Amino acid sequence: THAMGETDGAEFTGQEVAVVGMAGRFPGARDVQEFWRNLREGVCSISRFTEEELLAAGHSPALVRTPGFVGAQGVLRDVELFDAGFFGLSPREAVYLNPTQRVFLETAWEALENAGYDPAAYAGRVGVVTGAELNGYYKLLTRHPKLRQGGLQLHLGNAPFAVATRTSFLLNLEGPSLNVQTACSSSLVAVHLAVQSLLAGESDMALAGGVSVHVPQVQGYVWERGSISSPGGLCRSYDAEAAGAVPGSGVGIVVLRRLEDALADGDTVHAVIRGTAINNDGS
């Protein structure tokens, strides 16, 4: 442990933010460690689906047989599993809760555990900032004869704008709780806003991240020339053969604290954010 300005010769300004914990779930990886191992070993974690699997998932034969249809997706395992009782929820409440909200809630708890903090014992204000994507779970509920009359519970359980606030409520976190939507940059913008909240003194700790859980998990897409999608169902980032992206599910959360607080409390500092900014490309 070092005083501010004395760590490895770095000059600190008091505006630095430390990453003190993290958690995530990704296609082919149950946690951050397995994700990193897959990256190092060059493991492809995109799932390929047969026509039979796609039809069984509810896709029409006409769609599956459309020229250019690619049956590939990054699948997140066990999204149907959820320990409702751990979070004080009834099985009925859990049914109305979108997998996006469930997965983020579980990962938020894991991120706090990774950082070494119990939200019930931590005296400071903990903020939550996240981006979330829509999926087809709401549509499935409204088609179900016994669940479609869920009213407000059905709507709030599937609203992307409720992910952060529900997490704050169920974990009793009293810092700012913001749901961010800036399309592909949502989770990075969430980190920026969490850093600003810490530096402004609104939060003493902040969870920042993003989540997307596709429902159903077995899906595909129709490739069109000039689109963002990959024609072959492979994502070759930074490669000469890169031709597009493949949809997928995942969640990632970092736990942030002001660096001076993290050092003073003996936190594990995985990385230091020395500054952030946000703008737009205009026209």
Side-chain angles (χ1 to χ4, degrees):
T1 302
H2 305 270
M4 285 293 292
E6 298 178 3
T7 304
D8 301 327
E11 292 295 327
F12 292 124
T13 65
Q15 299 294 299
E16 292 79 13
V17 169
V19 178
V20 299
M22 64 186 83
R25 291 168 58 185
F26 313 91
R30 295 179 183 274
D31 53 36
V32 173
Q33 289 74 26
E34 191 173 0
F35 179 64
W36 179 242
R37 188 161 59 249
N38 287 345
L39 285 175
R40 286 189 310 172
E41 297 175 3
V43 175
C44 178
S45 297
I46 296 172
S47 299
R48 312 291 297 224
F49 309 116
T50 65
E51 182 174 316
E52 291 73 20
E53 288 173 322
L54 290 160
L55 294 176
H59 299 289
S60 69
L63 174 64
V64 174
R65 293 163 190 167
T66 300
F69 183 84
V70 180
Q73 179 96 213
V75 172
L76 202 61
R77 294 177 59 183
D78 299 333
V79 296
E80 72 279 9
L81 304 181
F82 181 64
D83 188 351
F86 181 82
F87 296 102
L89 298 170
S90 69
R92 183 76 169 187
E93 287 176 307
V95 167
Y96 283 115
L97 208 56
N98 195 291
T100 295
Q101 295 198 31
R102 291 188 227 140
V103 167
F104 188 86
L105 180 61
E106 291 174 325
T107 308
W109 180 270
E110 291 170 5
L112 286 169
E113 276 193 333
N114 182 263
Y117 284 95
D118 176 359
Y122 183 67
R125 293 183 300 272
V126 182
V128 181
V129 192
T130 185
E133 191 177 23
L134 286 168
N135 62 31
Y137 191 71
Y138 178 85
K139 191 179 294 183
L140 294 175
L141 288 174
T142 57
R143 290 174 180 170
H144 195 288
K146 295 183 179 179
L147 299 173
R148 62 188 178 195
Q149 305 300 327
L152 189 62
Q153 197 173 29
L154 186 153
H155 288 283
L156 291 181
N158 289 273
F161 61 75
V163 176
T165 41
R166 186 181 297 276
T167 300
S168 296
F169 173 70
L170 291 176
L171 299 186
N172 194 30
L173 309 178
E174 297 181 343
S177 194
L178 307 175
N179 296 277
V180 179
Q181 183 48 270
T182 62
C184 296
S185 62
S186 296
S187 55
L188 278 175
V189 172
V191 170
H192 168 73
L193 293 174
V195 167
Q196 295 297 307
S197 176
L198 287 164
L199 297 181
E202 292 179 329
S203 304
D204 301 299
M205 181 186 299
L207 281 68
V211 59
S212 176
V213 181
H214 291 189
V215 176
Q217 285 279 287
V218 178
Q219 290 192 39
Y221 57 90
V222 177
W223 176 78
E224 295 178 347
R225 185 173 298 279
S227 71
I228 192 176
S229 302
S230 164
L234 288 173
C235 187
R236 303 181 185 275
S237 303
Y238 312 110
D239 191 282
E241 298 181 23
V246 180
S249 299
V251 57
I253 300 174
V254 290
V255 182
L256 307 176
R257 297 190 73 200
R258 291 181 290 271
L259 179 60
E260 54 191 314
D261 295 341
L263 293 176
D265 292 341
D267 294 338
T268 298
V269 176
H270 299 281
V272 175
I273 300 173
R274 297 185 68 97
T276 70
I278 180 173
N279 66 353
N280 200 69
D281 289 340
S283 60

